[in-house]
Every structure is written in C-alpha cells, then in structure tokens.
Amino acid sequence: MSEVREHDSVCTDNSDEFPYKVPGQYFYEGVLFNQDVRKSVLESRDSIECREDDVFIVTYPKSGTTWILEIANLLLHPEKLDGGSEAQERSVPFLEFHLTGGSVDHIENMKKMASPRLIKSHLAEHLFPTQAFTKKSKIIYVGRNPKDNAVSYYHFYKSVSGFGYYKGSWDAFLQMYLKDHIVWGGWSHHCLGWWKHNHESNVLYLKYEDVKKDERGTVEKIASFLGKEVDQQTLERIVTHCSFESMKKNPAVNREDAADVDSSVSPFMRKGIVGDWKNHFTVAQNEQIEQYYKERLGNTDLQFEW
C-alpha cells in the first residue's frame, strides 16, 4: 500500500489566498465544491444504499470519465451498439451532482434502477459511500498525469457554468491547482486516496495514459473485471465506438449542446491526447508542477507518465 502523508489526506480552506470563487462555493471535510454538488449526498454517505453488483466509474475530473463510462456501459449492455446511444447524463446517474435549479435526484433514481447499476462519481475516497466498500461494489478508478489533467481542467473551468466560466489566466489556475484549491479537491489526494484500494479485488485502477496506449487491451481488462465474456466482433465494435474520434462525433457522450457547457470556449471533449501540457507550460511552471509531483508522489509506488 502506498504511503499517504498528512498533507495529502486533508485539504484546507485557503479561500483567502485565491480571490476566484466558483458559484456556490463551499468546503466539506477539506474538499472544495461548487453549487452543482449536493451537500446532502456528502452528509449521507454512510446511509446511501449500494449493491454488490453496482459498478462505479470514479475519476478525478478530466481524466477520461466519459470514455471509460461508455466502455463499461457497452460491456454491460452490448445491445446498445445496435439500438443507438442514449445520452450518458440520462442513462448514468452522477452520484453527487445536480444542475442548480434542476429536478433530477440521482440518489432517488438509483433506487429505481435495475441491477447492475452503472454510476459515475468524482468523489474522493474519504467521501465515498461506505457501503460501496463494505459490500464490495465494483469500482473502476481512472487517474491521469497532473500536467495534462491541469490543462484539461483549466479549459473545462473556462467553458462550464458551474465553474463560473472562469476568465482568469492559465497561471492563476495552475496556482490554485497546485494548492488544492480546486473543485472536487486536490489531484494528489484524490489519486492517492483511491490508490490505497488498488490491490482489492473489487477495484480496478486504470491510468489514462495506459488506456491511450492500448484501447483494445483496456476494453478486455474492463470486461474481465466485470465478468463479461465478449466475442471478438463485439469487442472490436466497442473499441471502434469508444475511440476518441468516434466519441467526439457522438452527441450522446460529447455534450456539445448541454446548457451548462459553452463549447465555443472549449468543447467538452477537447483533444484527448497525452502531452498537450507542452503547449501550455512555461519552463518555470513545469518546474513548479515537477516539484509538486515529487513532494506528493515521490515516496509512493503510484507513478504517471507524460
């Protein structure tokens, strides 16, 4: 098990240090959230009912969530390859999320769903429903290297209403990122918290960079984890369907028309590559994040490529 040090296990309310505020900003147990995250879900995590055959896709934001969700959805329901895609936000509940002013209650919807349920979340490990651990629900976690993740999250901040269509500079955003002053909490705390469960039989820990290297192998790995036998033809169809190029053209997963996303600023699915950080980081900024990475992950066995 990786060593998780004290400064990685608790974030602090450092709002005074950073003037930018996201809409409805609040801290809960050391993690920054915006108005789109239901505090009631965080407060009731010990009573949220989970099932043994639940499948949770858990990620730090902008780490391939939609991609892995689509793969898992098609493995659980291969008939959807022929029946047309249903928008993910309607077919897959987002555990802790709601659009402000909206009427969707994902917890209530989850209770009505047939098993196996596929559920999405960005919650840190220490805020996750306790029954998911005690009942050994299946959890697929996806982490992404902090350089590309920071860039992708920056563009997401700029294009989504829940982040207030961030207008600040890239450098100002990076400083918030490095100090864990970011919605859903600090990157290192999130990745390391879930890494503690890496060797548990009900947890599959994936890295975005590995998925990009071997998409077909990833589909096979997820199928095996879910206990699904898939014939070669279906496997190839899922791989093709879930390529970044195909998904970017698929309105069911690429939320170009979503009311809360300004795709003219940055599309929901932007580039999906490894190494885009080189187009954004200055030498000084790269040195900063290298130091951050060394301090947070240097003494652990969790390592990322970029």
Side-chain angles (χ1 to χ4, degrees):
M1 182 181 296
S2 301
E3 176 190 356
V4 181
R5 289 162 295 181
E6 184 65 24
H7 72 263
D8 276 331
S9 59
V10 179
C11 306
T12 58
D13 184 346
N14 48 5
S15 302
D16 293 340
E17 184 179 353
F18 298 104
Y20 185 74
K21 305 289 189 296
V22 295
Q25 173 173 309
Y26 68 96
F27 275 79
Y28 187 86
E29 293 192 14
V31 177
L32 173 64
F33 291 108
N34 64 3
Q35 64 187 10
D36 293 334
V37 178
R38 292 179 185 269
K39 191 174 183 180
S40 60
V41 174
L42 306 178
E43 294 172 334
S44 61
R45 65 181 181 273
D46 289 337
S47 60
I48 293 174
E49 295 184 4
C50 298
R51 304 172 189 169
E52 292 180 359
D53 58 357
D54 280 342
V55 179
F56 290 93
I57 307 298
V58 186
T59 69
Y60 190 71
K62 306 310 293 178
S63 298
T65 320
T66 303
W67 191 12
I68 302 302
L69 265 175
E70 191 72 359
I71 292 173
N73 203 8
L74 292 174
L75 286 169
L76 293 172
H77 306 285
E79 68 277 5
K80 292 185 177 183
L81 283 165
D82 298 313
S85 297
E86 181 182 9
Q88 276 191 9
E89 60 262 35
R90 290 198 296 270
S91 63
V92 180
F94 193 160
L95 179 66
E96 68 272 20
F97 190 83
H98 74 114
L99 292 175
T100 302
S103 58
V104 177
D105 186 333
H106 290 298
I107 299 296
E108 287 302 312
N109 287 347
M110 283 167 53
K111 295 177 182 178
K112 304 171 187 175
M113 291 174 65
S115 295
R117 304 183 299 185
L118 182 63
I119 304 163
K120 166 186 174 180
S121 178
H122 289 320
L123 287 178
E125 176 263 355
H126 76 284
L127 297 177
F128 210 69
T130 54
Q131 286 190 26
F133 299 109
T134 59
K135 293 190 175 182
K136 297 295 183 181
S137 305
K138 290 188 179 296
I139 300 170
I140 301 176
Y141 183 82
V142 192
R144 188 180 190 183
N145 81 76
K147 294 184 181 183
D148 284 324
N149 179 258
V151 169
S152 187
Y153 210 172
Y154 164 65
H155 287 285
F156 198 42
Y157 249 61
K158 292 199 303 179
S159 64
V160 175
S161 62
F163 303 121
Y165 300 115
Y166 176 72
K167 301 293 195 301
S169 68
W170 154 240
D171 187 67
F173 177 86
L174 180 61
Q175 302 315 309
M176 292 191 295
Y177 187 93
L178 295 174
K179 293 291 183 66
D180 301 333
H181 190 83
I182 204 83
V183 176
W184 275 289
W187 173 88
S188 64
H189 162 58
H190 206 284
C191 292
L192 282 170
W194 281 105
W195 184 246
K196 291 188 300 183
H197 302 275
N198 177 48
H199 300 297
E200 297 173 15
S201 61
N202 63 311
V203 176
L204 176 63
Y205 198 110
L206 300 174
K207 298 176 184 176
Y208 185 96
E209 297 74 27
D210 294 337
V211 178
K212 287 295 293 184
K213 285 180 183 178
D214 187 4
E215 296 182 29
R216 189 179 191 280
T218 297
V219 175
E220 292 177 324
K221 183 180 293 186
I222 295 174
S224 176
F225 177 72
L226 297 178
K228 296 295 180 181
E229 294 186 5
V230 183
D231 60 72
Q232 290 302 308
Q233 182 180 11
T234 302
L235 177 66
E236 294 299 339
R237 291 182 67 192
I238 293 175
V239 172
T240 300
H241 176 94
C242 294
S243 69
F244 185 85
E245 293 73 20
S246 294
M247 290 184 63
K248 193 172 177 64
K249 298 174 184 177
N250 184 351
V253 293
N254 189 15
R255 302 172 63 235
E256 290 296 312
D257 298 325
D260 62 322
V261 177
D262 186 350
S263 58
S264 66
V265 174
S266 180
F268 181 70
M269 298 185 70
R270 198 174 58 90
K271 288 186 177 181
I273 63 174
V274 178
D276 187 42
W277 65 270
K278 297 174 185 177
N279 298 316
H280 293 75
F281 279 78
T282 64
V283 172
Q285 289 168 346
N286 187 53
E287 290 175 351
Q288 283 183 307
I289 203 164
E290 291 271 4
Q291 183 62 29
Y292 162 90
Y293 185 85
K294 180 180 179 181
E295 290 177 355
R296 303 296 183 91
L297 269 68
N299 294 328
T300 75
D301 57 355
L302 176 61
Q303 298 298 313
F304 288 88
E305 297 178 13
W306 49 73

